[in-house]
Amino acid sequence: MKKIALVIAAAVALAGCDNKQAQQEPVQEAATTAAAEVSSPAETGQLTAEDAKAFLQSAQERLEKMAEEVSHASWLASTYINVDSQYVEALASERYTAMAVELASEAAKFNDLDLDPDTRRQLTMLKQGLVFPAPKDPALTAELAQIGSKMQGMYGAGKYCREEEGKEKCYTLTEMGQIMANNRDPKLLEEVWVGWRKVAPPMKPLYERQVEIGNAGARELGYDNLSTFWRSKYDMEPDAFAADMDAQWNKVKPLYKALHCHVRAKLNERYGDDVVPPNGKIPAHLLGNMWAQEWGNIYDVVKDDDMEAPYDLTELIEQSGMDEKEMVKVGERFFTSLGFKPLPETFWERSQFTQPRDRDVVCHASAWNMDGQDDIRIKMCINKTGEDLVTVHHELGHNFYQRIYKEQPFLYKEGANDGFHEAVGDTIALSITPKYLKEIGLMDEVPDESKDIGFLMQQALDKIAFLPFGLLVDKWRWQVFNGEVQPGDYNKAWWQLREDYQGIQAPVARTEANFDPGAKYHIPGNTPYARYFLARIQQFQFHRALCEAAGETGPLHRCSIYNNAAAGEKLRNMLAMGASKPWPDAMEALTGQRELDASAIIDYFQPLMAYLEEQNKDRQCGWE
C-alpha cells in the first residue's frame, strides 16, 4: 500500500540528526515570522470575513513554497539514505511543521465568524492538514521531525542476515518479499518472517514519544487526541466515520469468511495439521506476503487442479520483453486513452524505476508531487511482474490525479478524501482485463467465461483478503492515540486485532519485547491507513459507475474502460474537483451516490461467492 508525498502531508517527513540546537533556531524563526505575518487582525479584535480570506491567501502561498522544499528534501532522504540527507530533510520538515502548526492555530481565531462555505472549508482543512501536528514548542517540533526520520531510516535500511554456506548473506525487504511470495518451505518462511520483524523493536520507544508529542499537538488544535483528529478529516463526525467503516466491513465480511475458509482448507491440504490446523486461525507466514495483507501469491496453492486463470500477467510481461520503464509507459497509455495529458518529460528524467546497485533506498512504491504543478514522479523498485504492473497503474493514478487538480488552491490539491487518492489507480487496474490485454497486444484472444472463477479467485486473494487488514491498522492506532491501548500492550493489542478481524495468528509466540506494528511501513512512515480500506470500497463503486458510463452491459469483472471517451470525461471531471467539495459531492459526481456502498464488491465477486459456498458446504468455517 503506497505513500503520497504531497502538499500538507509532506510535513510528516523523515530524517535523523542529534544536533537539536542547530535545528531549533530556524524553527523558532519560522514560527515567529508566521505569527508576525498573520496575527495582526487577531490583535485588533476586529476580525472580518475579508481578514479570513486574506489570511488564507497568504497562508497558502507560504505553505506551498515550503511544501516544495520539504518534498525535495524528503525525496533526497528516501533515495539517498544517509545521515546528511536525513539532516537536511529533518530541517525542512521542522520548518514546515512549525509554519503549519502556527497557521493552524491562527485559523482557529476565525472560528466564530460567519463565513461562506468555501472559506470555512479551507480554514478547517488548514487546521486538519498535518498528520502528526507538533505543539508550538520549537524543541518538540524538532524532536518530532527527528523521530519520524529515524524510524523511516531504520525501516529503509532494514535487512535480515543469515549464514549460508559458511558466509553471512543479508537480504533486503524486497528480497525477503520474493521469498515470502515464492517459497513454500514453512521453516524458511517462518525464519524470514521473524527475521524481518527484528527491525522494529528499536522503534518502539521512538513511537511512544511520537504519540505523546502528536497528542499534545492535537490538543493545542482543539482535539481530544490524535484519534479524534485523524477521524475528523472525512466531512462527518469522527464516531460516525468509524461506524461507517464498520458498516461497510460487515457487508463484505461474509465473502471474506468464505474465502478464509477455502484458503485454510487448501493450506491444510498442502502442509498438514501440524503446520495449518483444519479449523481456527491461519499462520501468518504462509499467505505469500510479509504482512499477510494480500494473498495472491499463494494462488498456486489455493486453486483447484482444474482451475485455470485466463492468463498469467507476469508471464505475459516476460513474453513481451518489456522492461521496467515500458511497464510505466503501458500505464501512461491507459490514462491518455481516457483523455488525460501525457506525463511531462521531467517525469521520465526524475522518477526512480529500479533499485540502485550502490545504495539503500526506500523501495516502498510511492507517487510524488514535488511542486504542486508538473514535477510529478514515482519512486519504485519495479520487478517485471503482474503485481508490479498493477502497482504502476496505482501510483500513476496518484500522479494523474495530482496533475489534473493543479489549478486548485493549495489546500484543495488533495483527493476528495484520502481514500479517493488511493482508489483512482486501482479503479484503472480493474480494467486490466483480457479484453484490454488483447487491445494492447499482450494477448491474442479473449478467453471465454469458463476461466473466470480462476481470475476472480486471484482478484479476491488480493482485494478481499486485504479488507480486514486495511481496517485494523488504524483501529490499532486510534486505540493507541486515545489511550485505550498503553505502550505495555502495543503488541498484544496488534495481534488481538489481527486475530479477531483477519483470523490469522503469528507463527511463533510474540511478546511486548517485539513491536510488530513497526515492521509495517505505514507505522514508522506515519501514513494513515483507513484510506486503503476506503479505496478498496470506492474502487469497485467507481468501476461500476464508469462501466455504466462506458455502456458496458456484461459481467462487472469483464469490463474495461480503456479508450472510452465517456468514462474518461466522467473520471476527469471528478478528479479535477480535488478537495474543493465534500467527498459526498465528488462521489455523487461520478457515481450518482453520496455514500460509500460496498455492494459493488458483492456484484463484482458474485460468481466467486457462489463457488465458495459450494466448496465450503462440508467445512467448519470461522475462527472464533
Side-chain angles (χ1 to χ4, degrees), residues 153 249 356:
W249 163 239

Side-chain angles (χ1 to χ4, degrees), residues 97 101 129 208 283 323 365 382 456 512 518 608:
T97 302
V101 168
E208 290 179 36
D323 60 15
I382 298 174
L456 288 171
E512 292 306 318
L608 179 66

Side-chain angles (χ1 to χ4, degrees), residues 342-584:
L343 293 165
E345 189 58 35
T346 53
F347 172 89
W348 304 103
E349 296 168 353
R350 300 170 183 174
S351 290
Q352 174 193 297
F353 299 136
T354 56
Q355 180 162 10
R357 296 181 179 181
D358 61 342
R359 65 184 189 275
D360 290 326
V361 299
V362 176
C363 273
H364 189 90
S366 52
W368 298 65
N369 183 2
M370 308 301 288
D371 62 354
Q373 293 296 313
D374 293 317
D375 188 355
I376 50 180
R377 312 175 188 179
I378 64 170
K379 183 171 66 62
M380 290 182 63
C381 301
I382 298 174
N383 295 303
K384 289 182 280 190
T385 65
E387 181 181 1
D388 273 13
L389 183 63
V390 171
T391 298
V392 163
H393 284 75
H394 174 97
E395 298 305 337
L396 290 181
H398 289 309
N399 284 152
F400 281 100
Y401 203 169
Q402 290 162 345
R403 199 180 189 203
I404 203 168
Y405 59 48
K406 69 178 184 179
E407 301 305 325
Q408 292 283 357
F410 174 77
L411 290 169
Y412 290 162
K413 291 179 181 179
E414 288 274 16
N417 65 36
D418 52 12
F420 274 63
H421 234 301
E422 299 300 330
V424 172
D426 282 347
T427 300
I428 297 301
L430 289 175
S431 282
I432 300 178
T433 62
K435 174 185 173 183
Y436 163 65
L437 295 172
K438 182 176 183 295
E439 286 192 62
I440 65 172
L442 285 182
M443 292 183 74
D444 295 329
E445 296 295 335
V446 176
D448 62 39
E449 295 184 16
S450 65
K451 296 183 178 181
D452 283 6
I453 292 298
F455 168 74
L456 288 171
M457 179 66 78
Q458 284 185 321
Q459 286 283 76
L461 288 170
D462 285 337
K463 303 287 188 181
I464 302 305
F466 175 81
L467 287 168
F469 186 79
L471 187 62
L472 70 85
V473 173
D474 274 358
K475 277 188 173 289
W476 179 82
R477 278 193 284 208
W478 297 342
Q479 292 172 359
V480 168
F481 293 162
N482 68 18
E484 182 179 343
V485 170
Q486 292 295 311
D489 290 321
Y490 276 179
N491 224 45
K492 177 183 176 182
W494 174 256
W495 281 105
Q496 188 64 58
L497 287 167
R498 301 207 68 183
E499 291 177 9
D500 290 349
Y501 279 88
Q502 286 185 279
I504 68 167
Q505 62 187 7
V508 299
R510 310 304 283 169
T511 71
E512 292 306 318
N514 308 118
F515 181 52
D516 293 331
K520 175 61 183 168
Y521 171 80
H522 300 75
I523 301 297
N526 295 322
T527 304
Y529 214 75
R531 63 184 61 177
Y532 302 112
F533 177 83
L534 294 175
R536 283 298 201 275
I537 306 296
Q538 291 165 346
Q539 66 188 256
F540 288 96
Q541 209 170 343
F542 294 169
H543 181 63
R544 182 170 63 183
L546 290 170
C547 288
E548 291 171 357
E552 293 273 354
T553 57
L556 197 55
H557 63 271
R558 285 193 150 237
C559 165
S560 177
I561 63 167
Y562 177 72
N563 210 28
N564 187 280
E569 181 179 13
K570 197 152 192 160
L571 180 62
R572 295 196 316 276
N573 289 341
M574 186 273 280
L575 299 185
M577 295 168 66
S580 63
K581 301 291 182 184
W583 72 261

Side-chain angles (χ1 to χ4, degrees), residues 160-307:
Y160 170 58
C161 301
R162 66 196 300 264
E163 187 173 312
E164 295 183 8
E165 299 179 354
K167 297 180 180 180
E168 184 180 63
K169 179 173 174 56
C170 294
Y171 292 86
T172 65
L173 179 56
T174 300
E175 291 167 334
M176 284 183 272
Q178 291 299 310
I179 294 172
M180 299 298 291
N182 300 313
N183 197 284
R184 299 294 177 252
D185 176 355
K187 290 184 178 180
L188 176 61
L189 293 173
E190 180 182 304
E191 180 188 341
V192 172
W193 188 95
V194 172
W196 168 244
R197 280 158 179 76
K198 292 179 180 178
V199 73
M203 299 178 189
K204 185 178 179 181
L206 296 171
Y207 192 77
E208 290 179 36
R209 179 60 176 158
Q210 185 182 53
V211 170
E212 184 180 352
I213 297 173
N215 270 336
R219 286 192 292 271
E220 286 189 8
L221 293 177
Y223 297 88
D224 292 339
N225 50 58
L226 283 168
S227 175
T228 305
F229 180 67
W230 278 26
R231 291 180 289 120
S232 295
K233 301 183 181 187
Y234 294 93
D235 300 305
M236 57 201 303
E237 291 298 316
D239 289 345
F241 170 68
D244 193 27
M245 296 265 285
D246 286 332
Q248 301 307 319
W249 163 239
N250 286 329
K251 289 180 185 179
V252 296
K253 187 176 180 180
L255 177 55
Y256 177 80
K257 291 186 74 171
L259 182 68
H260 178 283
C261 190
H262 183 69
V263 168
R264 183 181 60 199
K266 290 293 186 178
L267 288 171
N268 174 261
E269 289 177 14
R270 174 67 178 256
Y271 294 110
D273 292 357
D274 291 343
V275 177
V276 181
N279 302 309
K281 303 173 186 71
I282 301 173
H285 64 305
L286 302 176
L287 290 162
N289 174 273
M290 184 60 82
W291 306 276
Q293 66 183 57
E294 292 168 322
W295 306 346
N297 289 322
I298 61 165
Y299 174 73
D300 62 304
V301 177
V302 170
K303 74 180 185 70
D304 292 334
D305 291 340
D306 60 351
M307 181 186 289

Side-chain angles (χ1 to χ4, degrees), residues 29 34 83 194 322 364 416 423 549:
E29 179 183 353
V83 65
V194 172
M322 71 172 69
H364 189 90

